[in-house]
Amino acid sequence: MTDTACSTAWQRWRYKLEIAKRAPTIFIGLALLFIFGWLIVAPIVNMMMEMFTVQTGDEMRVGAEAGQFTSYYLERVFSSRMSSIIFWKPLWNTLMVAVISMVLSMIIGSILAWLLVRTDLMGRKWLSTALIIPFMLPAWTFALAWTTLFKNATIGGQPGWVENMGYQLPDWVSYGVFPTIVIMTLNYIPFVILLVGNALRRLDSQLEEAGKMLGASRPKIALSIVFPLMRPALMSSALLIFADAIGEFSVPYVLGLPVHFETLATSLYRAIGTQQTGVAAVFAAVILVFGIATLALDAWMMREARRFAIIGSKGAMERRQSLGILQWPATILALVMVFIGVVAPLGALALSTVMHIPGRFEFSNFTLDYWIGTNLDTIAMQNGILFSSEFWAAAWSSISIVGSASICAGILGLLTGYIVLRSPLRVVSVTLRQVTFFPYLVPGIAFAVAFLTLFAVPHGPIPALYGTPIILFLALIADQMPFASRAGISAMTQLGSDVEDSARVSGAGWCRRMYSIIIPIQRNALVTAVLMPFISGIKGVSLFIILAVPATDVLTTFSIRLIDFNYTQAANAVVLMIALIALLGTIVINRLTRTGLAQGLES
C-alpha cells in the first residue's frame, strides 16, 4: 500500500511539472511571492524587530551596543514616567475619536442610506451621488475647510472667516477633539451609505410585507426582520471605520497639534521627527495590532454571515416606502448633509483661494494672486501655485511616482489574479491571496514606518533608499496591492480557461496568450486596477509624510508644508487640485466599469 501511495504521489508531481513547463504559473507565483515577501512581509517583520533592538544613537541611554536586544522602548512607551504623556493619553484620544466618529457616522449614514434606497425621497438619484462625494476626496480637505472657517488667533496667522467677522471662537471649537470628531464623522458617512445602502438593495422587501400581513408593527419588523439581516453590513461598516480611524493622521495633524491634542498617529510622527525610531516602531506596532484585530474580526463576522441565506421566491422585490408627511423633513435633512459635507467645505476652500483676507466679501478683497500672481510679498511663496515651479515639481513628482507605481501595481494585480485562479499549487494561490491583502490590515502610517525602518539603511547590495523616489515608488506598490490584486482576482474569476486552453492547443506560448488573449479581454479590469491605486495614492498623506523629503516633495507634502508656514490660501489651492484629480479619477473608474457612483461596495 505504501509503494502504491508513493507511486501515486510521484505521478501527481510529474504531472504538475509537465504542466509547469507549458504554463509557468508556478514559477511566476513563486516570483510574485518573493516580490511581495520583500515589499510587504519583510518591512513588517523588520519593524517588529526594531522594538527589541538598540537603535543607533541610543547606546548611552539604553546602556547597550547598537543592535543588541533590549526592552527599553517597550518600557519607555508602556511603563515609564513619560508613558502617560507619550502613549496612554494619545491612545485614549485615538480611541475616543474613533469610537465617537464611528457611532455618529453609523447613525447618520444608516438613516441616509435607508432614505435613499428604501423610500420615495425626492431627488434620490441626484442626492445618492452628491452625498458620497466626500468619499472621493482626501479627509484633510475637510480639515482645511474647518480651519478656513473657524480658525482663531491661537497659532497666529490669518484668522478664520468667523473670527474675521467679529466673533471670538474658543480653542475647543477651532481645534482639538470636537472638530476632529466632526470632520472624521463627515468623512465616514459616505462610506456607511455605500455599504449599508448596498445591503439594503439586496434585502427583499417581501419579508417586510410578510411581517405586516402577520400583524407586526413597524418597530417589530425593524427589530425582528430588518436589523438581524442588516447586522453583518452594519457591523462590517463599524469595524472598518474604527480600523481606519485608529490610523488616521491628517485630520488630527491639522486640527489637533495646535492645541497639543495628539493621537497615536501624530505621536508616531513626532517620534519619527525626533529620531526616536524604536519608540516609533512601538507606536506603529500598536496601530498595526488594532488594525489586524479589527479587520480579522470583520472577516470572521462576514464568514459567519455567509453561512446563512435568505430563501425566497424567484426574484427579490425592492418596494419603496412612502414618507408621507415626512417627505419634506427627510429631503431637508439630506440637503443639509450635502451642504455640510460638500458645498460648505469645498466652497470655503475655493473662496479662500481668491481672497486676501478670509471672510471679507468686498470686491477689493478678491484676488487671483494665489493662483496666478507673481512676485508675492511672502517668503516661501513667491508666485501663485499655477506659476510656481515648486508646485509643478511636486505635481510632476506626484503624477510620475504615483502613476508609475499604480501601473506596476495594476500589472502585478492582474498577474496575481491569474496565478491565484490558475496555479496548480493551492499553497501558492492561497498564500499569494493573503499576502497581497495584508497591507489593507495595516494603517498607512504604520506601514510607512515599517518601510522606513527597513529601507533607511543599506542591506547587502541594496543601498539606503530613504530620500529617493524609489522608496516612495516601492511603498506605494505594496500599499496599493490590496486594491490591485482584488481587481485582478475579481476579473480573472469571470474569465474561464477555455479560451486560453484553445490557444495552448494551437501552440501559443504563455507570453503570446497573455499579450493576445488575457490582456485584451481584461483591458477594463487592468485600467481599474491602475486607476484605483492612483486615486488612493494621489490623495494619500500617511506614506508621504513619513517617507518623502524636500527633494521628493509631492502635492500632499507640499500642501502640508504650506500649512506649516500658515500660507492657508495657497495650501487650499493645492488641496483643491488634489481633490479635482481624485474626483475625476473616480468618475473615470465608474464610467469604465459602467456603475453609478452610488451603487455601493460589496461587503
Side-chain angles (χ1 to χ4, degrees):
M1 179 66 81
T2 303
D3 293 339
T4 304
C6 291
S7 177
T8 303
W10 170 244
Q11 291 176 358
R12 187 182 301 114
W13 276 103
R14 284 189 58 188
Y15 172 74
K16 291 181 178 180
L17 288 174
E18 289 296 326
I19 294 281
K21 292 178 182 178
R22 301 184 182 182
T25 52
I26 296 178
F27 303 110
I28 297 173
L30 293 176
L32 289 175
L33 284 177
F34 174 79
I35 293 172
F36 296 136
W38 180 56
L39 291 180
I40 297 173
V41 179
I44 301 296
V45 173
N46 186 74
M47 182 192 70
M48 303 301 286
M49 294 174 61
E50 293 285 323
M51 295 189 298
F52 305 101
T53 306
V54 178
Q55 303 300 306
T56 302
D58 290 339
E59 295 90 345
M60 301 222 15
R61 186 182 297 112
V62 179
E65 295 295 326
Q68 291 185 351
F69 175 83
T70 182
S71 61
Y72 169 79
Y73 302 114
L74 293 175
E75 293 171 359
R76 176 168 175 77
V77 171
F78 295 126
S79 60
S80 71
R81 291 181 299 173
M82 298 294 295
S83 61
S84 61
I85 298 174
I86 66 174
F87 178 74
W88 294 111
K89 183 62 174 178
L91 175 63
W92 166 253
N93 292 338
T94 301
L95 295 176
M96 176 178 59
V97 168
V99 171
I100 295 177
S101 59
M102 176 191 71
V103 172
L104 292 177
S105 61
M106 287 298 302
I107 293 172
I108 300 172
S110 298
I111 293 173
L112 292 173
W114 178 76
L115 289 173
L116 293 171
V117 176
R118 303 308 294 271
T119 71
D120 60 346
L121 182 71
M122 289 188 294
R124 287 175 54 256
K125 186 175 181 180
W126 177 83
L127 287 170
S128 64
T129 298
L131 283 168
I132 64 169
I133 287 178
F135 182 73
M136 299 176 277
L137 303 177
W140 49 295
T141 302
F142 307 100
L144 290 181
W146 186 277
T147 60
T148 299
L149 292 171
F150 303 114
K151 179 182 176 183
N152 63 14
T154 296
I155 61 173
Q158 291 182 333
W161 287 18
V162 173
E163 187 152 314
N164 199 53
M165 293 176 182
Y167 299 96
Q168 299 297 317
L169 294 174
D171 283 349
W172 70 268
V173 173
S174 300
Y175 307 104
V177 60
F178 173 71
T180 301
I181 290 173
V182 171
I183 295 304
M184 291 179 66
T185 299
L186 291 175
N187 186 57
Y188 291 130
I189 285 174
F191 185 73
V192 178
I193 293 175
L194 288 169
L195 281 178
V196 176
N198 186 66
L200 282 169
R201 287 186 185 90
R202 292 179 294 170
L203 179 62
D204 191 351
S205 62
Q206 293 177 95
L207 298 172
E208 298 169 76
E209 294 295 332
K212 288 181 182 179
M213 292 176 62
L214 294 173
S217 62
R218 285 193 176 184
K220 181 70 173 178
I221 292 172
L223 292 175
S224 301
I225 298 176
V226 177
F227 179 75
L229 295 174
M230 292 296 299
R231 186 166 49 201
L234 292 171
M235 294 302 298
S236 180
S237 302
L239 290 171
L240 291 174
I241 289 172
F242 180 80
D244 188 76
I246 289 293
E248 174 59 39
F249 167 77
S250 58
V251 176
Y253 178 82
V254 174
L255 297 174
L257 288 189
V259 290
H260 306 291
F261 176 79
E262 294 204 17
T263 62
L264 287 179
T266 56
S267 295
L268 186 154
Y269 177 69
R270 181 168 50 81
I272 289 292
T274 54
Q275 298 183 351
Q276 300 181 66
T277 309
V279 172
V282 177
F283 284 129
V286 172
I287 297 174
L288 184 149
V289 168
F290 270 110
I292 292 178
T294 305
L295 293 172
L297 178 60
D298 173 64
W300 176 80
M301 291 184 62
M302 295 310 298
R303 282 198 302 269
E304 290 296 307
R306 293 189 183 102
R307 294 174 56 193
F308 304 94
I310 300 173
I311 302 175
S313 56
K314 293 182 179 179
M317 294 179 61
E318 185 181 346
R319 184 173 299 167
R320 296 189 179 93
Q321 300 178 17
S322 174
L323 289 172
I325 61 174
L326 297 177
Q327 179 71 252
W328 280 105
T331 304
I332 291 173
L333 171 64
L335 290 175
V336 167
M337 292 308 303
V338 171
F339 178 79
I340 294 175
V342 180
V343 178
L346 293 182
L349 288 180
L351 283 174
S352 72
T353 63
V354 293
M355 288 182 174
H356 283 298
I357 301 176
R360 182 174 295 178
F361 294 91
E362 300 173 358
F363 183 78
S364 60
N365 188 49
F366 286 93
T367 179
L368 294 176
D369 284 351
Y370 300 106
W371 288 97
I372 57 175
T374 57
N375 299 319
L376 301 181
D377 188 21
T378 57
I379 298 175
M381 196 73 186
Q382 299 297 318
N383 301 308
I385 66 164
L386 296 183
F387 287 170
S388 169
S389 59
E390 292 180 338
F391 169 77
W392 290 111
W396 170 247
S397 294
S398 294
I399 294 173
S400 60
I401 295 173
V402 177
S404 57
S406 300
I407 292 172
C408 290
I411 294 172
L412 290 173
L414 188 61
L415 283 174
T416 299
Y418 181 86
I419 299 302
V420 167
L421 271 298
R422 298 286 193 268
S423 176
L425 293 181
R426 177 173 172 77
V427 64
V428 172
S429 61
V430 172
T431 305
L432 198 58
R433 180 191 291 265
Q434 299 301 325
V435 168
T436 54
F437 184 71
F438 191 72
Y440 190 76
L441 305 176
V442 184
I445 197 161
F447 195 72
V449 172
F451 242 77
L452 181 65
T453 57
L454 180 62
F455 294 106
V457 295
H459 292 278
I462 302 174
L465 300 178
Y466 182 62
T468 69
I470 298 175
I471 192 172
L472 295 174
F473 171 77
L474 295 176
L476 281 167
I477 291 177
D479 187 58
Q480 300 304 324
M481 277 314 299
F483 300 103
S485 64
R486 264 44 196 178
I489 293 171
S490 176
M492 291 304 302
T493 301
Q494 302 174 28
L495 178 64
S497 60
D498 297 343
V499 178
E500 192 179 0
D501 291 339
S502 300
R504 185 187 294 111
V505 172
S506 300
W510 182 82
C511 293
R512 180 62 183 274
R513 297 197 303 272
M514 290 293 295
Y515 177 79
S516 302
I517 298 176
I518 302 298
I519 293 179
I521 292 177
Q522 301 292 4
R523 182 174 57 251
N524 286 347
L526 181 60
V527 172
T528 302
V530 170
L531 282 177
M532 286 182 66
F534 179 79
I535 294 167
S536 179
I538 206 73
K539 66 180 184 179
V541 177
S542 299
L543 283 179
F544 294 121
I545 200 68
I546 296 295
L547 299 177
V549 296
T552 56
D553 234 357
V554 293
L555 286 175
T556 50
T557 55
F558 180 59
S559 61
I560 292 276
R561 185 155 52 84
L562 291 174
I563 294 170
D564 292 337
F565 280 109
N566 280 321
Y567 295 136
T568 306
Q569 291 96 326
N572 290 350
V574 175
V575 171
L576 284 175
M577 298 297 289
I578 297 172
L580 179 62
I581 295 172
L583 181 62
L584 291 177
T586 306
I587 293 174
V588 169
I589 287 180
N590 284 277
R591 294 293 184 188
L592 290 174
T593 56
R594 294 182 175 87
T595 57
L597 290 175
Q599 273 191 292
L601 303 172
E602 290 296 333
S603 299

